[in-house]
Amino acid sequence: MKKLISLVILFISIFSFQNHSISAEKIKFLETDWTFKGLFGKYDRGALQRGYQVYTEVCSACHSMQYLSYRNLAEPGGPEFTEQEAKFIAASFEVQDGPNSEGEMFTRPAKLSDKFVMPYDNVEAAKAANGGAYPPDMSVLAKARKGGADYIYSLLLGYDDPPANIKLDDGVYYNKYMYGNKIKMSAPLSDGLVEYSDGTQATEEQMAKDVTTFLMWSAEPHLETRHKTGFRVIVYLIILSILVYLTMKKIWSRVETKV
Amino acid sequence: MSDKKPKNRRDFIFTATAAAGAVGVGAAVWPLVDQMNPDASVKALASTEVDISSVKPGQSITVVWRGKPVFIKRRTQEEIDKARSVSLEELKHPEKDEDRVKNPEWLVMLGICTHLGCVPLSDKGEYDGWFCPCHGSHYDTSGRIRKGPAPINMEIPEYVFLNDNTIKIG
Amino acid sequence: MSDSHYTPKSKVGKWFNDRLPLLTLANHLTDYPTPKNLNYWWTFGGILTFCLITQIVTGLVLAMHYVADTKLAFASVEHIMRDVNYGWLIRYVHANGASMFFLAVYIHIFRSLFYGSYKSPREIIWIIGIIIYLLMMAAAFMGYVLPWGQMSYWGATVITNLFSAIPFIGEGITTWLWGGFSVDNPTLTRFYALHYLIPFLILGLVVLHIWALHVPGNNNPVGIEIKKPSNDTVPFHPYIVIKDAFALLLFMIVFAFFVFYTPNILGHADNYIEANPLVTPAHIVPEWYLLPFYAILRSVPDKLMGVIAMFSAILILVALPWLDTSKVRSAVFRPLYKQFYWILVLDVLVLGYVGAMPAEGLYLLVARIATAYYFIHFLIILPFLGFIEKTNPVPLSITEPVVAGAAMATRSDGENKIENNLKSLG
């Protein structure tokens, strides 16, 4: 038994060590207190709603979120706008629909079932408008980068003057946390860039934190259910293990061999 | 009873373990079953809006709602009268035409034969309504079953007139 | 077999059993005499069965929603994660299930290595096991391609390019595997079809694996042949069943922890980026369970030789029953082998570690030494050890060292039950 447990621990530590050693090949990311970390982690609704605002007002000019629909904004575990608010948000975007009975495409206000409107028609158009660099789709971005939320948060706040030995071309910026330190996105956030309706001070850090929370949710929309279910499942498994252990002891007591 | 006690106590552990195990298996099976139910994106498409401004009296259009055809028929006065003059005793599934429409001019119903799910043809059959080519069910101008194997009238979906030109189904 | 004379009690049962002896089979499986000293390392057979069934069931469900098309595959996986009821749970169980499957199979293999379970008369069980392991790797690799992320695409490209190392026909084989001139839609659809097929091949082989096991019966930690049934054995049901169940539950707790709390830790972030044939990720590594072989591949500077070394590392295991010349099975009684066994474990872990690191500098050197040692272990150390090792005395029966236990076990279950009842009364 003890051997078994120690082996399990050994393997887990190998995994985590391995992962750690891969992701830690660069510098340490900025740290902040995420509410969604830990066994009972949940998203901060306020941060999600503010984060959505930052996304729409700032990021969405270049970054798509093609896997999200407006209905997601009202779903439990997310920003939890009311259905009316989500409908109102959706209606402020125009989407193409059709063909109608005359065979023509037309535009109409978006509905809850529509996907987020994309800033560019396709990847090529996005590249052309951004000096050849494709602004990545943000739907699963928080899972698509080593370091996840910490990385995105750090990147947003990692703009700095380049060290003397690094020369930057036009349209290229220096970022401490970017892979290779060169990034084609200019610093997207600055104090007071958006005006939060809930009265929160829109500092650069606050906006970075909010929008990162929003991106984490968009990448992992069922995180809260996952944590909740996981806790129940593990508690159940532990209880059942104890019961099975007692049953096992009972059964094996018929033969005098230790289990 | 007292001499059976130890046996009961042992049985209790066995029973508790088996019961707890069964609960767990049940809980684990549910996600595997539920995944086949309509998912969130399908449910979100539950309503559809239709522009009916171009439909002339006597004409009908077919629109898709939840993957199924919905007949929207603009009935003539003659067809309305015909539907309303039938006495309920003659009907296999007695329903008044008044209960099947919100506006007598517009009949909105699921275009699916209640027999085995085929789509009936319009302006056909012995009652000038619909006729299902699969097994020969005849429907009248109110979409009620009059003859053939279908058990009940064609279904009326939930719908509202948003304005004179738009119907929202679902 | 001891149970071939089984007759069902009920008339219907007898009628049925005469025509299809399923009840005889069930009776054989429940009564199957199992060494009673099996430790927890022996529970991984049952755990692996659970893993296989879990993968098949969750895979079947995922297949109901997944679309095997390069334009839609990534989006369909996102659809599963976002919209399908419990889709996130089912996919995470399937993805982490692959890792748990390999974790269990490695423990199972190393258990066999420690206690000499591969030795006569169990060579066929061992070889079927190696084939299952190879099929598992194929299934895992093709499954990893299906989400059509960056790692899927580039992993598929790198692995299929291994075949191009074969002289003369290599290029033809890779083109044939791809169904085109690069990894593309035809590759994805065929990988999907094969990914669906392989688990059922594995299932069939598992039946053979167990069948072959039930001919000589289980090996055991002492490594001696025992009389079956006897005082050294217990019926499979309920004794082994309940013990397997307990171990399985502990395993499931670890499994659940990965699924619910760190579902992506064993994967690569790059696989959440949709495949892009024009950009290779900065650091390509396979999933953790393939890393030792990846390290062996990269440690050889020649393309063809690297591929040969990698495949030999697995195929050498087929010859293991004949490479190991010792007459004693269990490492418990082999003081020298025991040490070399642990060195091998360490060696494989080191290979796994350097497999995850860039192939340069010190890492490359370590990889080369570890690769060399891996082959030395099987080709040189093991054959010689059988001749030079002085083994410790092996007991004649399992119960022999425990005298009191032997006395107790001779009593029938009924007597023990009565005594237990008396005890709990008192």
Side-chain angles (χ1 to χ4, degrees), chain B residues 72-84:
Chain B
I72 302 175
K73 165 109 182 172
R74 186 167 182 182
R75 299 188 294 184
T76 58
Q77 193 55 47
E78 193 193 336
E79 284 169 326
I80 299 170
D81 293 342
K82 210 169 168 184
R84 302 206 160 176

Side-chain angles (χ1 to χ4, degrees), chain B residues 107-123:
Chain B
L107 175 65
V108 180
M109 67 180 179
L110 275 187
I112 290 180
C113 179
T114 55
H115 180 221
L116 291 171
C118 296
V119 178
L121 307 168
S122 60
D123 301 320

Side-chain angles (χ1 to χ4, degrees), chain A residues 254, chain B residues 10, chain C residues 412-422:
Chain A
R254 296 174 202 164
Chain B
R10 191 189 62 196
Chain C
S412 70
D413 279 358
E415 275 175 299
N416 281 329
K417 255 185 224 162
I418 292 165
E419 198 192 40
N420 284 338
N421 287 351
L422 286 172

Side-chain angles (χ1 to χ4, degrees), chain C residues 7 96 106 261 268 279 284 303 318 381-382 400 414 424:
Chain C
T7 24
N96 286 283
Y106 282 125
Y261 292 110
H268 297 286
V279 184
I284 299 191
K303 184 175 174 181
V318 174
I381 296 175
L382 274 190
E400 188 199 49
S424 31

Side-chain angles (χ1 to χ4, degrees), chain A residues 71 113 236 240 243-244 246-247 250-251, chain B residues 10 13-14 17 20-21 24 40-41 44:
Chain A
R71 65 184 158 83
S113 57
Y236 166 79
L240 188 62
L243 285 172
V244 168
L246 294 175
T247 307
K250 208 95 200 177
I251 289 173
Chain B
R10 191 189 62 196
I13 281 290
F14 290 177
T17 309
S41 62

Side-chain angles (χ1 to χ4, degrees), chain A residues 7 11 17-19 39 67-68 71 139-140 143-144 179 218 220 222 226-227 230-231 248 252 254 257, chain C residues 36 40 74 78 81-83 92 103 107 239 260-261 263-265 269 273 282 288 291 353 408 416:
Chain A
L7 189 101
F11 265 88
F17 173 64
Q18 199 184 34
N19 242 281
L39 297 194
Y67 300 117
L68 262 73
R71 65 184 158 83
S139 320
V140 271
K143 285 197 288 190
Y179 186 76
S218 82
E220 205 51 27
H222 297 294
R226 175 154 64 74
H227 285 173
F231 181 70
M248 179 175 74
W252 276 81
R254 296 174 202 164
T257 302
Chain C
K36 66 180 182 185
Y40 280 96
F74 191 85
E78 277 308 308
M81 292 298 289
R82 288 162 194 278
D83 294 333
Y92 277 154
L103 172 63
I107 295 175
Y239 295 94
F260 291 105
Y261 292 110
N264 293 307
I265 198 167
I273 304 171
W288 68 268
L291 287 174
Y353 178 76
M408 285 299 292
N416 281 329

Side-chain angles (χ1 to χ4, degrees), chain A residues 61-127:
Chain A
C62 304
H63 291 276
S64 60
M65 278 191 124
Q66 54 176 327
Y67 300 117
L68 262 73
S69 305
Y70 293 108
R71 65 184 158 83
N72 296 137
L73 295 172
E75 281 168 3
E80 295 187 2
F81 287 106
T82 64
E83 193 165 317
Q84 283 314 310
E85 285 170 334
K87 273 186 180 162
F88 185 75
I89 289 170
S92 66
F93 295 91
E94 288 281 314
V95 291
Q96 199 182 47
D97 200 351
N100 61 15
S101 44
E102 273 91 51
E104 275 155 27
M105 304 303 281
F106 57 93
T107 57
R108 57 162 173 79
K111 293 188 285 196
L112 287 183
S113 57
D114 285 310
K115 297 265 190 230
F116 274 25
V117 172
M118 305 221 269
Y120 304 103
D121 288 339
N122 51 55
V123 175
E124 298 311 319
K127 274 187 191 165

